[in-house]
């Protein structure tokens, strides 16, 4: 799939991700979020390109009130990529207080509390949502090295691809 271009892209506000940045603003809230390291039958990893920054990451987002983490992971993956997934395991829990996300519109400053799952694709049609994501595609591990990826997103990807027997707890 190709990235959409044009004026709309340049006008979108970009969220700021601070990962071990000494100049990061102080977080006011902790927000539960989920991401999914989904694989296809060839073992490739599903990634989505953020519409606001153009960087690649695992599909995911916030857990809604009344929703379980695994249900949020399945929902967010389908929304952002068009792919249905089945959760197959836990990559890890990531609660680094030095991972702060600043809303693109000057509002909320939050500390990430991430649950990252392993998953496998069960169907759907690959497509970005054109709201949060401008592209969605499958990548082999060596292809990921060439992509623009935020350090915090790269950490999740690396842990997912590591083959560790135990989930990351940090």
């Amino acid at each position: 799939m190709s990235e959409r271009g044009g004026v709309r892209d340049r006008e979108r506000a970009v969220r700021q991700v601070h990962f071990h940045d000494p100049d990061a603003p102080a977080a006011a809230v902790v927000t539960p979020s989920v991401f999914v390291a989904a694989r296809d039958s060839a073992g490739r990893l599903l990634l989505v390109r953020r519409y606001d920054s153009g960087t690649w990451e695992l599909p995911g987002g916030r857990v809604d009130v009344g929703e379980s983490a695994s249900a949020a992971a399945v929902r967010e993956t389908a929304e952002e990529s068009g792919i249905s997934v089945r959760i197959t395991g836990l990559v890890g829990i990531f609660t680094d207080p030095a991972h702060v996300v600043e809303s693109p519109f000057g509002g909320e400053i939050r500390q990430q509390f991430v649950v990252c799952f392993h998953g496998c694709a069960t169907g759907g049609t690959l497509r970005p949502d054109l709201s949060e994501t401008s592209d969605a595609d499958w990548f082999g591990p060596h292809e990921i090295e060439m992509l623009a990826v935020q350090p915090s997103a790269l950490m999740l990807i690396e842990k997912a691809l590591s083959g560790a027997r135990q989930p990351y707890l940090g």
Side-chain angles (χ1 to χ4, degrees), residues 4-168:
R4 276 179 56 139
V7 175
R8 183 176 171 198
D9 286 351
R10 291 188 298 272
E11 293 176 349
R12 293 185 75 88
V14 179
R15 74 179 182 153
Q16 296 297 311
V17 178
H18 303 276
F19 191 65
H20 295 253
D21 175 1
D23 297 323
V29 297
V30 176
T31 304
S33 301
V34 293
F35 290 91
V36 179
R39 302 279 191 110
D40 67 3
S41 60
R44 297 175 301 170
L45 189 65
L46 176 63
L47 297 177
V48 294
R49 186 189 307 234
R50 289 194 56 84
Y51 211 148
D52 60 358
S53 67
T55 58
W56 292 88
E57 66 184 19
L58 298 171
R62 293 184 189 199
V63 178
D64 292 338
V65 173
E67 184 177 44
S68 71
S70 59
V74 169
R75 174 185 55 78
E76 285 284 350
T77 302
E79 287 175 3
E80 293 184 356
S81 71
I83 300 298
S84 301
V85 295
R86 178 174 51 84
I87 300 302
T88 60
L90 181 64
V91 172
I93 298 173
F94 301 81
T95 61
D96 187 341
H99 182 194
V100 176
V101 178
E102 193 173 353
S103 170
F105 303 105
E108 180 181 79
I109 299 173
R110 64 188 185 271
Q111 175 186 327
Q112 290 286 85
F113 185 108
V114 172
V115 178
C116 185
F117 294 99
H118 286 290
C120 66
T122 59
T125 302
L126 193 63
R127 55 111 192 104
D129 68 8
L130 301 180
S131 174
E132 290 183 71
T133 60
S134 63
D135 205 350
D137 212 340
W138 298 100
F139 295 94
H142 298 302
E143 295 174 296
I144 295 168
E145 298 169 5
M146 305 306 293
L147 301 174
V149 180
Q150 291 276 351
S152 55
L154 185 58
M155 184 176 75
L156 296 179
I157 292 167
E158 288 173 345
K159 294 291 185 192
L161 295 174
S162 74
R165 293 180 184 209
Q166 297 296 318
Y168 174 83

